[in-house]
Amino acid sequence: MSTEDGGLSVVYNGEIYNHPELRAELEAGGARFKTRSDTETLLRLYARDGAKAFSKLRGMFAAALWDRQRREFLLVRDPLGIKPVYYRFDGNTLSFSSELRSLMAAGLDDALDPAAVMDYLAYGKVHAPRTIFRDALKLPPATYLKLNESGLKLERYWSMPRPAPARGPAPSLAEAADRLESLLSDSVRSHMLSDVPLGAFLSGGVDSSLIAALMVRHAGASKVRTFSVGFSGAARGVDESAYARAVARHLGTQHRELILPADVLSRLQDSAGLLDEPIADSAILPTFLLAKFAREDVKVALTGEGADELFAGYDRHKAAWVNEGLRKLPRWGRKLAAPLARRLGKGQVFAALPMEDAKDWARATASSTFDEAAALLRPDFAETPHGDALEWLKDFGAFDGLHDALAFDLATVLTDSLLMKVDKSTMRASLEARVPFLDRSVVEYAASLPSSMKIRRFRGKFLLRLVAARHLPKRIAWRRKHGFIVPWESWIRAEKNPVVSELLSDSGLETRGPFLMDRLRLLRSELVRGSPEADSGLFFRVVILGLWLESVHRERAL
């Protein structure tokens, strides 16, 4: 879309939820609109305010703007990175897209970035700004790229605020719950603005259940459609569909269930083509199948992503909370208390207490070490100089406690994995996913809250659960964190696994891939034998990368 004189043009993908208010403000200042679209609102707002416009937007968006008068090109991504943006700049030509495969079709060299491969094998994702490809980058969230005669420059237009020092009496839990409920309800209402059928993904956990409950508040139960996925014949603790069914019954929504076979991972290769770059999340395929299922009835679905990263939903956040307490002690007291603190939880995150900086947290939350990853890679590939695999940590400084852990997870785990998974899975199914928890007003309020409102009595998401208890049965509001579990470990260790066997016998992968195939086959045999020392997670990440590489090769061959 362009202005009447052609001086300003925009290419845009996403939704701006406060565009009615922005439009009214612009019209009051004399702007004349030709459409009712949020695209034109973005265009007119930028024409008035320049790059300052970006900080005024509430929504999910990726946009490119050409300002003919200033001879400037801008590329911008929303504050939380809900919508992806990839680009390539060779010093003369800038290419950009919402899909990395589009850049491949436009001539991007598919040479892998060794540091990105190491990053992926250690964490299960490639952290921005890198991509899996050597010559392409991801635009970080809350950032715009500016290209003009002076060159290319990246600038941030928003940062998550830190909790402000207390001034006056702190709000009570009830007052904080009232405020959070009001903000979240307003976010859900704005995310429901749509001229096409709309529904929600419902897992039966507190996050998606609260979103569904607030949708019912605004639209009435009969107008809210909910969709869940279950697994037939799955082991106890895997299938959550009974909880989703109970929530739907309590709320009175129009509910449908998709029941998948427990061996759904036998179709894992189907998910490789969904991804622009590998993400080692076993829920990708079920998420895509659920999106296709929901698309039969609706074109937009609200989801619960973001609540864990805002309100401390994972066990590792409890370790960060304990670390916060340790950091308040004098050094001698910290040394005495650390052994007891490590016994408060399980896993390497608690074992790493106390932590001093973001690098300590990054090491503690890695799934494998770089040495373990490098042992599976050809030396000529792993030793290729191409930067530090931890370069993405440069924007993170001190690590005091829970706030820093949540900010870290919002910028990494959420953006580079969870949101990417949802975006790629749903867009491939022609379904638009919206995430009300990531409205900036909700994010900024959550960031302002003290740790004691997020974790209390060693229970995470405490304040959010108080809000949920106003709308949902107690057993749902206070249910333990479950997650979208797909039984990947038993699948990866199974002796009869055609997907893995075919991958390891693929001569093409041996010549094109970066792996030491003999080492992979040895690791595979140890897993089948049941060796507890064998790293099943690392091997699963290798399988995902191998399947993804094969999908890229097939696409190149077309």
Side-chain angles (χ1 to χ4, degrees), residues 227 290-300 429-432:
F227 304 89
L290 178 62
K292 280 183 65 178
F293 179 69
R295 183 61 179 78
E296 295 172 5
D297 296 317
V298 299
K299 293 185 178 181
V300 175
S430 300
L431 181 75
E432 181 180 292

Side-chain angles (χ1 to χ4, degrees), residues 180-199:
L180 175 58
E181 182 177 15
S182 174
L183 290 170
L184 190 54
S185 179
D186 179 66
S187 175
V188 169
R189 178 193 56 76
S190 65
H191 280 65
M192 291 179 70
L193 293 175
S194 174
D195 54 5
V196 297
L198 177 145

Side-chain angles (χ1 to χ4, degrees), residues 202-219:
L202 180 61
S203 70
V206 63
D207 309 333
S208 63
S209 298
L210 179 54
I211 295 299
L214 293 174
M215 291 175 71
V216 167
R217 168 194 273 187
H218 290 295

